[in-house]
PDB file of all heavy atoms in Angstrom:
ATOM      1  N   GLU W  42      38.838 123.230 135.557  1.00 49.00           N
ATOM      2  CA  GLU W  42      39.758 122.707 136.562  1.00 49.00           C
ATOM      3  C   GLU W  42      40.345 121.389 136.102  1.00 49.00           C
ATOM      4  O   GLU W  42      41.537 121.151 136.224  1.00 49.00           O
ATOM      5  CB  GLU W  42      39.040 122.524 137.899  1.00 49.00           C
ATOM      6  CG  GLU W  42      39.972 122.014 138.981  1.00 49.00           C
ATOM      7  CD  GLU W  42      39.478 122.325 140.379  1.00 49.00           C
ATOM      8  OE1 GLU W  42      38.569 123.146 140.517  1.00 49.00           O
ATOM      9  OE2 GLU W  42      40.017 121.737 141.313  1.00 49.00           O
ATOM     10  N   ASN W  43      39.515 120.501 135.597  1.00 58.00           N
ATOM     11  CA  ASN W  43      39.983 119.234 135.043  1.00 58.00           C
ATOM     12  C   ASN W  43      39.281 119.006 133.715  1.00 58.00           C
ATOM     13  O   ASN W  43      38.066 119.208 133.609  1.00 58.00           O
ATOM     14  CB  ASN W  43      39.661 118.062 135.978  1.00 58.00           C
ATOM     15  CG  ASN W  43      40.526 118.067 137.210  1.00 58.00           C
ATOM     16  OD1 ASN W  43      41.636 117.572 137.197  1.00 58.00           O
ATOM     17  ND2 ASN W  43      40.010 118.640 138.287  1.00 58.00           N
ATOM     18  N   LEU W  44      40.010 118.570 132.717  1.00 59.00           N
ATOM     19  CA  LEU W  44      39.430 118.333 131.402  1.00 59.00           C
ATOM     20  C   LEU W  44      40.002 117.039 130.840  1.00 59.00           C
ATOM     21  O   LEU W  44      41.215 116.819 130.862  1.00 59.00           O
ATOM     22  CB  LEU W  44      39.741 119.488 130.446  1.00 59.00           C
ATOM     23  CG  LEU W  44      39.194 119.371 129.021  1.00 59.00           C
ATOM     24  CD1 LEU W  44      37.683 119.377 129.015  1.00 59.00           C
ATOM     25  CD2 LEU W  44      39.730 120.500 128.152  1.00 59.00           C
ATOM     26  N   VAL W  45      39.104 116.164 130.375  1.00 62.00           N
ATOM     27  CA  VAL W  45      39.502 114.924 129.713  1.00 62.00           C
ATOM     28  C   VAL W  45      38.978 114.966 128.288  1.00 62.00           C
ATOM     29  O   VAL W  45      37.778 115.159 128.064  1.00 62.00           O
ATOM     30  CB  VAL W  45      38.944 113.681 130.442  1.00 62.00           C
ATOM     31  CG1 VAL W  45      39.313 112.414 129.680  1.00 62.00           C
ATOM     32  CG2 VAL W  45      39.483 113.611 131.866  1.00 62.00           C
ATOM     33  N   LEU W  46      39.847 114.808 127.314  1.00 61.00           N
ATOM     34  CA  LEU W  46      39.466 114.712 125.911  1.00 61.00           C
ATOM     35  C   LEU W  46      39.884 113.335 125.428  1.00 61.00           C
ATOM     36  O   LEU W  46      41.077 113.032 125.364  1.00 61.00           O
ATOM     37  CB  LEU W  46      40.154 115.789 125.072  1.00 61.00           C
ATOM     38  CG  LEU W  46      39.906 117.245 125.469  1.00 61.00           C
ATOM     39  CD1 LEU W  46      40.747 118.166 124.612  1.00 61.00           C
ATOM     40  CD2 LEU W  46      38.435 117.608 125.335  1.00 61.00           C
ATOM     41  N   GLN W  47      38.912 112.484 125.109  1.00 59.00           N
ATOM     42  CA  GLN W  47      39.245 111.131 124.668  1.00 59.00           C
ATOM     43  C   GLN W  47      38.312 110.732 123.531  1.00 59.00           C
ATOM     44  O   GLN W  47      37.105 110.637 123.696  1.00 59.00           O
ATOM     45  CB  GLN W  47      39.134 110.129 125.815  1.00 59.00           C
ATOM     46  CG  GLN W  47      39.675 108.751 125.445  1.00 59.00           C
ATOM     47  CD  GLN W  47      39.871 107.873 126.654  1.00 59.00           C
ATOM     48  OE1 GLN W  47      39.588 108.266 127.774  1.00 59.00           O
ATOM     49  NE2 GLN W  47      40.365 106.666 126.446  1.00 59.00           N
ATOM     50  N   SER W  48      38.893 110.536 122.362  1.00 54.00           N
ATOM     51  CA  SER W  48      38.111 110.208 121.181  1.00 54.00           C
ATOM     52  C   SER W  48      39.061 109.756 120.087  1.00 54.00           C
ATOM     53  O   SER W  48      40.277 109.958 120.165  1.00 54.00           O
ATOM     54  CB  SER W  48      37.305 111.418 120.708  1.00 54.00           C
ATOM     55  OG  SER W  48      36.597 111.121 119.521  1.00 54.00           O
ATOM     56  N   ASN W  49      38.495 109.165 119.039  1.00 52.00           N
ATOM     57  CA  ASN W  49      39.298 108.850 117.868  1.00 52.00           C
ATOM     58  C   ASN W  49      39.656 110.109 117.098  1.00 52.00           C
ATOM     59  O   ASN W  49      40.663 110.156 116.403  1.00 52.00           O
ATOM     60  CB  ASN W  49      38.546 107.889 116.944  1.00 52.00           C
ATOM     61  CG  ASN W  49      38.497 106.488 117.521  1.00 52.00           C
ATOM     62  OD1 ASN W  49      39.399 106.076 118.223  1.00 52.00           O
ATOM     63  ND2 ASN W  49      37.427 105.771 117.256  1.00 52.00           N
ATOM     64  N   SER W  50      38.831 111.142 117.175  1.00 50.00           N
ATOM     65  CA  SER W  50      39.082 112.368 116.422  1.00 50.00           C
ATOM     66  C   SER W  50      38.574 113.559 117.220  1.00 50.00           C
ATOM     67  O   SER W  50      37.417 113.586 117.637  1.00 50.00           O
ATOM     68  CB  SER W  50      38.376 112.319 115.055  1.00 50.00           C
ATOM     69  OG  SER W  50      38.620 113.510 114.339  1.00 50.00           O
ATOM     70  N   ILE W  51      39.446 114.532 117.472  1.00 53.00           N
ATOM     71  CA  ILE W  51      39.065 115.755 118.160  1.00 53.00           C
ATOM     72  C   ILE W  51      39.394 116.910 117.234  1.00 53.00           C
ATOM     73  O   ILE W  51      40.566 117.163 116.933  1.00 53.00           O
ATOM     74  CB  ILE W  51      39.799 115.906 119.498  1.00 53.00           C
ATOM     75  CG1 ILE W  51      39.536 114.687 120.394  1.00 53.00           C
ATOM     76  CG2 ILE W  51      39.359 117.176 120.214  1.00 53.00           C
ATOM     77  CD1 ILE W  51      40.344 114.682 121.667  1.00 53.00           C
ATOM     78  N   ASN W  52      38.369 117.596 116.747  1.00 52.00           N
ATOM     79  CA  ASN W  52      38.547 118.639 115.738  1.00 52.00           C
ATOM     80  C   ASN W  52      38.121 119.987 116.293  1.00 52.00           C
ATOM     81  O   ASN W  52      37.087 120.098 116.953  1.00 52.00           O
ATOM     82  CB  ASN W  52      37.722 118.333 114.489  1.00 52.00           C
ATOM     83  CG  ASN W  52      38.041 116.966 113.914  1.00 52.00           C
ATOM     84  OD1 ASN W  52      39.194 116.630 113.737  1.00 52.00           O
ATOM     85  ND2 ASN W  52      37.015 116.168 113.666  1.00 52.00           N
ATOM     86  N   ALA W  53      38.920 121.014 116.034  1.00 49.00           N
ATOM     87  CA  ALA W  53      38.591 122.364 116.481  1.00 49.00           C
ATOM     88  C   ALA W  53      38.314 123.237 115.261  1.00 49.00           C
ATOM     89  O   ALA W  53      39.182 123.418 114.413  1.00 49.00           O
ATOM     90  CB  ALA W  53      39.737 122.944 117.301  1.00 49.00           C
ATOM     91  N   PHE W  54      37.086 123.752 115.173  1.00 44.00           N
ATOM     92  CA  PHE W  54      36.670 124.557 114.032  1.00 44.00           C
ATOM     93  C   PHE W  54      36.279 125.959 114.485  1.00 44.00           C
ATOM     94  O   PHE W  54      35.611 126.125 115.507  1.00 44.00           O
ATOM     95  CB  PHE W  54      35.456 123.936 113.329  1.00 44.00           C
ATOM     96  CG  PHE W  54      35.713 122.565 112.762  1.00 44.00           C
ATOM     97  CD1 PHE W  54      35.261 121.436 113.425  1.00 44.00           C
ATOM     98  CD2 PHE W  54      36.402 122.404 111.576  1.00 44.00           C
ATOM     99  CE1 PHE W  54      35.490 120.172 112.911  1.00 44.00           C
ATOM    100  CE2 PHE W  54      36.641 121.142 111.056  1.00 44.00           C
ATOM    101  CZ  PHE W  54      36.183 120.023 111.723  1.00 44.00           C
ATOM    102  N   ALA W  55      36.673 126.970 113.715  1.00 40.00           N
ATOM    103  CA  ALA W  55      36.204 128.318 114.001  1.00 40.00           C
ATOM    104  C   ALA W  55      34.742 128.455 113.608  1.00 40.00           C
ATOM    105  O   ALA W  55      34.005 129.272 114.153  1.00 40.00           O
ATOM    106  CB  ALA W  55      37.044 129.349 113.254  1.00 40.00           C
ATOM    107  N   GLY W  56      34.289 127.682 112.690  1.00 37.00           N
ATOM    108  CA  GLY W  56      32.903 127.684 112.239  1.00 37.00           C
ATOM    109  C   GLY W  56      32.783 126.609 111.184  1.00 37.00           C
ATOM    110  O   GLY W  56      33.766 125.985 110.814  1.00 37.00           O
ATOM    111  N   VAL W  57      31.602 126.349 110.718  1.00 35.00           N
ATOM    112  CA  VAL W  57      31.429 125.318 109.703  1.00 35.00           C
ATOM    113  C   VAL W  57      32.252 125.695 108.473  1.00 35.00           C
ATOM    114  O   VAL W  57      32.082 126.761 107.893  1.00 35.00           O
ATOM    115  CB  VAL W  57      29.942 125.155 109.338  1.00 35.00           C
ATOM    116  CG1 VAL W  57      29.795 124.141 108.220  1.00 35.00           C
ATOM    117  CG2 VAL W  57      29.153 124.728 110.555  1.00 35.00           C
TER     118      VAL W  57
END
Side-chain angles (χ1 to χ4, degrees):
E42 181 158 346
N43 288 276
L44 180 64
V45 177
L46 302 175
Q47 189 166 1
S48 177
N49 287 329
S50 180
I51 303 174
N52 305 311
F54 298 102
V57 176

